[in-house]
Amino acid sequence: MKKWLNVLEQNKRLQAIVIAVYIVVTFISLYLAQKSVVAFLLLLSSLLLLHFTTFSHRVKWVIGIVVLSVLLPLAASQGEAYQSYMEVATLVGIYIAMALGLNIVVGLAGLLDLGFVAFFAIGAYTYGIFATTQANNFMPFGQYPLSGESFWVFLIIGCIVAAIFGILLGIPVLRVKGDYLAIVTLGFGEIIRIIFNNLDKPINITNGAMGLASVQPPKLFGLEFMYPSQFYYVVLVILLLTIFVVRRLEYSKIGRAWKAVRENEIAAQAMGIPLVRTKLMAFAVGASFSGMMGVVFAAKQTFVDPTSFTLLESITILVMVILGGMGSVPGVILGAALVTILNLQVLTELTNWLNQLSLSGVVHIPDALSPAKMQRFIFGVILILFALYRPQGLLPAKNPRFDEKELKSGATNMVDGKEGAKDVYFNG
Amino acid sequence: MIEHVLQTLPQVVIDGLALGAVYAIVALGYTMVYGILELINFAHGEIFMTGAFVGTALFLSFSAFGWLSSMPMLLSLLLVLVATSIVTGLLGMGIERVAYRPLRSAPKLITLITAIGISFLLQDFVRFITELKKGNYILTGPSLFTGQVSISASSIWSGFHDASVKSSFFIVLVTAVVMMVTLDFFVNKTKWGMAMRAVAQDRETAALMSVNVNKVIALTFFIGSALGGATGVLFAIQYGTIDPYIGFILGLKAFTAAVLGGIGNIRGAMFGGIVLGLLEMFAAANLPIISNGILGAEYKDVFAFSILIMVLIFKPEGLFGKVSIEKV
């Protein structure tokens, strides 16, 4: 087995054949067997396979984008399950972007944020209030709901509002010791939920526990985005943008400052890194991704209410980051995809299957044990096991490696360590 | 407006004291563990919740066997309290052994994450057991100590209204005081208490002075969790209905109390708990009146939380804590 893997690693042509065959086979099986969730998941996991190949970055990106934007929708579009597949894929995208945001806060800057979903809620409400008639209650000017074209502006506004809240939360908290942060953010998440739940009086801003219904769908050049299959492309574009930004940030000056703060605050400060500003920056950037996805979520669900933003959601996003690997972008993407699919597909399928077994009298599973209710249990176990035995996650983060000679010869070429680094720049 | 606030004051003080006593003892668990390990034991609120469930289950089975009527009330209360605190104490020790001890030299972030994992696990475990046995995860215990006592506060000053008290209030208050006094005695006057303080001050030096550090830490977890579990029983008696998710928000508030009193400081935690309970009850009763109905009583959680933020900004070492300087 190991020998084969070694051969595979040496031979790029062989890799190309393997991945091509894999993609073709899973594409055909999903195309023909529309109801098979397994085929859908296998086609998605071709991206994971792609991650382990030794192609250059550009090739990987091109193949990945082709699979996601053409092959996956095409293969899934042949049956009535099309919209539900795209729904799952869209939600996976939303959660990946949020997990990448949390990854900046937890993984890079080492600040444990347990109320991350609050920023998601802020983004969702920002769009939700202005894209329904709700804003008429308190805005002195303008006609509401705003049209669907404003969605694209609100992506930016949601970003900024969430970032402002991130900074507002950070200012008092970041001056004290790190572990207070966890509990204060935990409280913050709950408080935001309570406030949204009760802000229907004296002025009705959020419509309280009733939530905001019939949020305007986004519009672009007269085209309305109504179905998951259309939202899929919106999310895909935003997601690619997010991944690009995150990767650039990670190796920028601020990214290195975050890592320095994570490793040792005092040493980082002694090296001239402004502690509070760096941490606030992490908070703001992380929150802004979440806020942006909140806007998308509000537009996609066309309904916003406080029950979507509980502690369980915050912990779900944390589980994604821990499972995938703190600080590792590919890891977090994998973690977010796994957890979302587990939540949406595996647990519900398993519950249905067990219910059928109970109905036909094969085995009797008590209702209390139904897998859909066991989320907390599963997440708890994942958190404990990974913290104890594999704190670096499924795909650990790798630091970039530099070739000393090359640096000295003046070529300041940086490789981002994850892939590709081994073949060219490996330095004993 | 002020008149109304004064009228309800006696009732607010009594309710606040009961709630404050609960906060104070749960805060003790946070503060003890923090003092010795510099770790926020997130699972402590869940231990409190487990205690409430174990206690209620014991009461329910006592009444099923008919022991509740054949025994004096106080004796059965004592039995349940002792049994529950042993169960939750052992649970706390087990959590320390499994989830915290292997990570003692790991970054703090990792330990916090296991703590969250443990608390989720406990929540779902308790929900599962209760739902399996009862069909519903919200549990109502047998009503005990329900006699109403009227306190004629109006005879003290005519501006007060009379307050009414459930007799369980006295049980809660007396038990809480007894527990706190015993703990204070234990920590300050006994040999084990001295070992605990030594480990809190400097773990390595304490180990060199032949203190068994692991044993002391396990003991700290046992005591903190036993107190937390017993408080859970008191909570269940006082408020009647419990569900597996009560531990989270209560734990958050108890932590606020611990920070308010200066984290790591045992007497400070007791004081902080009482103060927070009083303030919260005052807010719940009077926020709508003071703000002319803009802020409802639902904002009492927000109120407790803003106290935490205030303390962290203006006096992060708490009311009785010492300013600690981190050395490199």
Side-chain angles (χ1 to χ4, degrees), chain A residues 110-121:
Chain A
L111 308 163
L112 189 55
D113 185 347
L114 298 178
F116 198 65
V117 80
F119 304 120
F120 186 57

Side-chain angles (χ1 to χ4, degrees), chain A residues 124-202:
Chain A
Y125 268 98
T126 309
Y127 183 63
I129 287 171
F130 288 99
T132 56
T133 50
Q134 193 64 31
N136 287 325
N137 291 332
F138 62 94
M139 287 298 281
F141 52 86
Q143 272 299 315
Y144 302 97
L146 295 174
S147 76
E149 266 121 10
S150 68
F151 171 79
W152 313 102
V153 184
F154 266 94
L155 282 180
I156 312 290
I157 297 178
C159 238
I160 294 169
V161 173
I164 290 172
F165 270 88
I167 292 172
L168 281 183
L169 171 69
I171 287 171
V173 175
L174 291 175
R175 289 174 194 277
V176 293
K177 271 176 99 179
D179 31 0
Y180 286 116
L181 185 70
I183 215 143
V184 173
T185 50
L186 183 75
F188 177 71
E190 279 301 290
I191 296 317
I192 287 284
R193 195 176 58 80
I194 295 174
I195 288 180
F196 280 150
N197 208 4
N198 289 302
L199 213 58
D200 50 351
K201 54 182 186 291

Side-chain angles (χ1 to χ4, degrees), chain A residues 179-180 183 322 373 376, chain B residues 40 113 123-124 131 255 263:
Chain A
D179 31 0
Y180 286 116
I183 215 143
I322 306 294
K373 287 187 178 178
R376 283 168 190 263
Chain B
I40 297 174
I113 287 165
Q123 275 179 12
D124 209 62
E131 211 171 330
F255 179 79
I263 197 144

